[in-house]
Each structure stands twice: as C-alpha cells, then as structure tokens.
Amino acid sequence: MRVFSIGSDDSFREYEIKRFEAEHEEVVLEKWLEANPDGILDGGGVMIIGRQVQTDLGGFIDLLGLDRSGNAVVVELKRDRTPRETIAQSLEYATYASRLDADALESFLRVHEGDDSLNLADQHREYFELDDAEAVAFNKDQRIVVIGQSVTPQIRQTAAFLGSKGVHVTCVEFTFFEAEGGRRLLSQDIVVGEERPKAGQVSGASRKTTEAEFLASCDEHGRAVFSPILEWASQEPLSTNWGVRGFSAGVYFDASRVNICYAYPAYSGWKQQLYLAISDRFGLSTTATPEKVVASLREQAERTQLFVRAGRGDLKCYVDRAFTGVEIDSILRWLESTRQAIMKYGPKP
C-alpha cells in the first residue's frame, strides 16, 4: 500500500514504509495499543485492565482487557516465535482468562489503576458510555488479539480455523510510514477476525482527539492545569502524542519514545487526571536514569501531596478541584526535572 500527503500546491508526497528494528517493535506497537485501544476490535474497542498479567502457569499476558460486552480480551504481541508457539501461547492465555470471574477482573483493574475503590461495572459502563438498557455479564466469552508488523500465513490460517470453531481470534497488522520532515503515520489492517477488513486504514485523522477537543472536554479545573502543561510540552525537544481521549508528553530517541506523563479529560473512563510515567514501560524505567534519581523524582512528586500511588510505582493526580498557582507550578517543576533527567541519561543501551 502506498500513502501520500497532498501539498498546498496539490502535489503528492509519498510516505516511506518504515520498518523498526526488532528490539523496538514491541515497544512501538504496545505504545500504540495503550494510547489507542479503541482501534483494536471492531465495534467498541477495548478497556485495558491489566498489563503483563501473570497466569497460573507462569506466563505473562501482554495486555488484558474487556470489550463492550464485558468479555475478556487477551492481547498478544507477536515476537520472534514460531507461528505454532504464538497460537499455542495465545490459547493458553485465553484458557487462563476464561476462569476469571468479575471479582478477579475487578482486582486486575484496581491494580492496573492503583485505586482500590474502583468498581468494575461502573468503570466499564463509563468507559464504553453504555446506556441504561445495555446489560453486561462479565467474561461469558473470550477473545484473542494477535498483533504485529507481519502476521504469517500460518498464523492467519490457524486463526481463521479457530474462528470457524467459535474461538474468537483477531489478527492485526500495522505498517509505519515516514515522510519528509519526520512526520509519521500508522496504518492498521485487521487481517483475520472481521468480515470486511479495514485494509490500509490509517490511525490518526478521525480517531485521535486534538488539543482543542481535549481542552473542550475538560472542566474548568482541568483546563487550568492542562493548558500550561501543553504549553510546556510544545517546547523542543518535547513532543505531544494524541490518543482517542487524551495525550502523552515525552521525548523521542530515534525510534523509541520516553513518556513523561499522560493526561485524561473529564469524560474518559479514568476520570480527569494526570498520570506520571515513572515505572511505566514507556517512561523513566526505559532510560539509564540512576535509581536514586528516579527515587528522588518520585519523592519530589509525593511531597506536593497532589499525587496518589497508581500501581508499579507510578503516580496519578485527580484534577477534581481548583488548583492554586503554586500547585500548578510544582507540577511543572516536576515535569521539567524529569525531562532534564531523561535528556541527561538517555535511553538504556
């Protein structure tokens, strides 16, 4: 598939297919999934409730989620394994997921979000914006999603066979494009698991929100906090990535990106909040920043008394009231201190 941008003079400029190195593929794809879970399944998307979830047999599910109907979704990133190993592991994980009841799913959600007060039914209804007439029975069925830059014919054939036997398997391929000036696009193609594949559909455009839409979806308290953060993130070498509902701010190093924070608006399933990527798989943990520096940054954030634990060492701040200028300045100082640490130490070798 060829992709072009159209210039103001009506000239075409072609995007070049960009193949990331093997060591970056998983990070890039998982970043897209984390930021755009609505683009994975046809008809409603996925609410992520767990990452690297350990099974009873010692394996780790890359991403565990729920679809609109409340069924468990096992997302497996295709690595350098044989097709047989990929399918076998996905089925093993789906078998484990099939035994999870609503209480277990709620426990995963609470750990993932670092909030022991979350109610699974309420969060699911809010995330998918269900109306009162839509009843949900959790985990009556399971779905498998295998993703990668290339899904082999063997995996496709086996997945299609399983689908014919009632096992829901979706295979998704992604293609990265890069044009002059460094602008990048990502296309998504569901190659198995959908009657009419969305071949060549570029994620971006209508799927992602914009700064104006994001701020409009925040209340006055959110706009007062997020506007200066967005202004800070507009400065080099920072970048802002927009997802379906919110954004992340971070720094690019070649093909990888280090996230500093995530922001979610008032209407999102995770409430209006700022999430600090300290132990996040795309945050400080991916850099060579010494642990004592990371610990110092965590303590600095906690001293503001604005943040609560969010699991795995990360922190989040609910923007549910009017913040003072001093409080907003303390957040900006933390973000800038973290940016400086990332630039000083760089990514892990």
Side-chain angles (χ1 to χ4, degrees):
M1 179 180 63
R2 301 173 70 187
V3 176
F4 299 86
S5 63
I6 302 175
S8 57
D9 57 353
D10 293 333
S11 61
F12 281 13
R13 294 178 176 82
E14 185 170 3
Y15 281 81
E16 176 187 359
I17 293 179
K18 182 78 171 180
R19 300 294 299 184
F20 285 87
E21 298 296 331
E23 63 267 22
H24 295 308
E25 179 176 353
E26 180 187 348
V27 173
V28 173
L29 291 178
E30 192 167 336
K31 178 174 66 176
W32 189 91
L33 286 172
E34 189 73 11
N36 301 271
D38 289 352
I40 299 307
L41 291 178
D42 185 38
V46 180
M47 170 182 161
I48 303 300
I49 64 171
R51 182 194 299 154
Q52 291 299 306
V53 174
Q54 186 169 12
T55 70
D56 52 353
L57 295 179
F60 290 88
I61 302 173
D62 290 321
L63 292 171
L64 178 65
L66 297 172
D67 64 13
R68 186 181 183 89
S69 299
N71 296 318
V73 180
V74 172
V75 180
E76 180 69 5
L77 304 182
K78 177 183 168 293
R79 298 174 177 83
D80 293 329
R81 291 194 298 262
T82 66
R84 181 176 298 176
E85 289 171 333
T86 299
I87 291 295
Q89 191 157 62
S90 299
L91 289 171
E92 175 192 315
Y93 293 165
T95 301
Y96 168 78
S98 70
R99 299 194 296 270
L100 300 175
D101 59 16
D103 289 339
L105 295 172
E106 186 171 80
S107 296
F108 283 123
L109 171 67
R110 290 177 173 180
V111 170
H112 184 257
E113 293 304 305
D115 189 340
D116 291 336
S117 68
L118 292 180
N119 177 276
L120 178 67
D122 290 344
Q123 292 295 310
H124 182 269
R125 182 167 296 278
E126 183 178 358
Y127 185 89
F128 288 102
E129 300 179 351
L130 303 180
D131 59 41
D132 294 337
E134 293 184 80
V136 173
F138 288 107
N139 208 16
K140 295 301 182 183
D141 204 351
Q142 295 75 44
R143 306 184 68 160
I144 298 170
V145 181
V146 178
I147 68 169
Q149 290 194 75
S150 175
V151 179
T152 66
Q154 295 93 329
I155 293 177
R156 295 192 192 194
Q157 180 175 307
T158 306
F161 172 77
L162 291 171
S164 71
K165 300 301 181 181
V167 180
H168 302 290
V169 183
T170 301
C171 296
V172 185
E173 285 187 342
F174 296 94
T175 305
F176 298 88
F177 299 87
E178 185 168 336
E180 294 180 7
R183 186 180 181 190
R184 295 182 288 183
L185 293 178
L186 177 78
S187 73
Q188 171 220 30
D189 189 3
I190 298 180
V191 295
V192 177
E194 188 177 43
E195 292 183 359
R196 296 184 300 276
K198 297 180 283 187
Q201 184 176 23
V202 176
S203 75
S206 62
R207 184 172 291 134
K208 293 185 178 181
T209 190
T210 65
E211 179 174 344
E213 292 169 346
F214 170 80
L215 291 175
S217 66
C218 296
D219 61 25
E220 59 181 343
H221 306 320
R223 286 190 289 272
V225 172
F226 295 134
S227 291
I229 291 176
L230 284 167
E231 183 177 352
W232 166 80
S234 67
Q235 304 172 29
E236 294 289 346
L238 292 160
S239 68
T240 303
N241 275 9
W242 291 98
V244 178
R245 296 174 174 82
F247 70 87
S248 65
V251 180
Y252 272 109
F253 290 99
D254 298 324
S256 63
R257 184 172 188 267
V258 179
N259 287 333
I260 298 174
C261 66
Y262 303 89
Y264 302 95
Y267 74 92
S268 74
W270 315 121
K271 303 178 182 178
Q272 186 168 265
Q273 65 172 270
L274 178 70
Y275 186 101
L276 305 183
I278 300 174
S279 299
D280 185 89
R281 291 184 68 192
F282 308 118
L284 272 174
S285 63
T286 66
T287 72
T289 305
E291 181 55 39
K292 64 179 182 180
V293 177
V294 175
S296 176
L297 287 169
R298 185 181 288 110
E299 292 173 1
Q300 177 185 336
E302 290 178 330
R303 282 198 301 270
T304 66
Q305 298 185 338
L306 300 174
F307 294 90
V308 296
R309 292 279 175 162
R312 297 178 295 104
D314 292 320
L315 298 170
K316 62 183 176 183
C317 168
Y318 289 113
V319 186
D320 53 5
R321 61 173 177 81
F323 280 32
T324 67
V326 172
E327 289 174 326
I328 295 173
D329 285 344
S330 68
I331 293 174
L332 292 172
R333 283 196 300 272
W334 187 91
L335 295 174
E336 179 58 21
S337 295
T338 302
R339 182 197 69 80
Q340 291 178 12
I342 292 171
M343 296 305 298
K344 179 179 179 179
Y345 297 104
K348 290 181 178 178

